[in-house]
Amino acid sequence: VTARRIDGNAIAGEIRREVKEGAERLRREHGITPGLATVLVGLNPASALYVSMKRKACAEAGIASFPHELPAAASQAEILALVRRLGADAAVHGILVQLPLPPGIDERAVLDAVPLSKDVDGFHPLNIGALAMKGREPEFIPCTPNGVIELLLRTKTPVDGAHAVVLGRSNIVGMPVSLLLLQRNATVTVCHSRTRDLASITRQADILVAAIGRPRFVTRDMIRPGATVIDVGVNTIPDPARASGKRTVGDVDFEAAIEVAGAITPVPGGVGPMTIAMLLTNTLRSAGR
Ligand SMILES: NC(=O)c1ccc[n+]([C@@H]2O[C@H](COP(=O)([O-])OP(=O)(O)OC[C@H]3O[C@@H](n4cnc5c(N)ncnc54)[C@H](OP(=O)(O)O)[C@@H]3O)[C@@H](O)[C@H]2O)c1
């Protein structure tokens, strides 16, 4: 028996269609077109690719995008001035600063300049703080963590009462995923680089979320038979068989894991497309307010 393969592209497609309907309704009933501004600094090819994918997804969903590109040599003051200008622009409902910023730029200062009401990435400390508190609602839920939850919900994976083990505790993935799972009444164990005897913990997981950035780190023996495995990792490894000489793999050894898991997300085609879908969702939500 092999696991069910969770099709992130299909589920993200469903969400993108829902966003498109929502954007059409907003335009029809209120004359508002949701708008997302993207800020790209420098010539990082991966960042440029991510931004172009996000803009394409916006166009398909009826969201206006306002691309801004600054040279790698842009000063912190210039970047801050741009972000502040976008913050004051009524046509812009969401601001996405593509990370990483070039060396020498204070990333925190730039992100802090994004108004909370337009922080569609959901990285603002007040957003994360609200996530951690009972009875509070964050302005926006960070996209990748929200994508993980949405995959679980839309595949009808039981979360309430399940033991969820999260590998990784970063601000952008591990920690918010853990908080969201807790909100949904999972029993959550968060593992990190200092965790002792990791495999004995991951083997208890009904839901295993891997977000550590180590290629194929999670092996077959670390997975409980029948578990749902969500692989957030995006890692490039050499592959001489390919023209590019490399390929993308997750944090989970997919070929081995699929033999023991109950359901599993592939990389690519799992969590990745969900991140973009949730960015569109957040932008629509912001415009709706
Ligand atoms: N699909 C998407 O859209 C998307 C979005 C964002 C990120 N990602 C991917 O997700 C992965 C994680 O990203 P990130 O930004 O969260 O990474 P990160 O900031 O580098 O954090 C990695 C986390 O994993 C832990 N860790 C590292 N090695 C470990 C080990 N051997 N055993 C146990 N824990 C270990 C670290 O522990 P310590 O805290 O102790 O250092 C840290 O908490 C990356 O591959 C990234 O590319 C994908």
Side-chain angles (χ1 to χ4, degrees), residues 57-106:
C58 279
E60 282 170 15
I63 294 177
S65 60
F66 305 100
H68 292 271
E69 288 175 26
L70 293 176
S75 70
Q76 174 140 333
E78 284 171 89
I79 302 172
L80 282 174
L82 172 61
V83 171
R84 292 208 181 98
R85 189 153 52 78
L86 295 171
D89 184 341
V92 171
H93 302 102
I95 302 173
L96 182 132
V97 179
Q98 187 65 45
L99 302 179
L101 292 169
I105 302 294
D106 181 354

Side-chain angles (χ1 to χ4, degrees), residues 26 32-35 93 282-289:
L26 199 61
I32 294 170
T33 301
H93 302 102
N282 277 351
T283 306
L284 174 64
R285 190 182 152 117
S286 180
R289 293 201 186 113

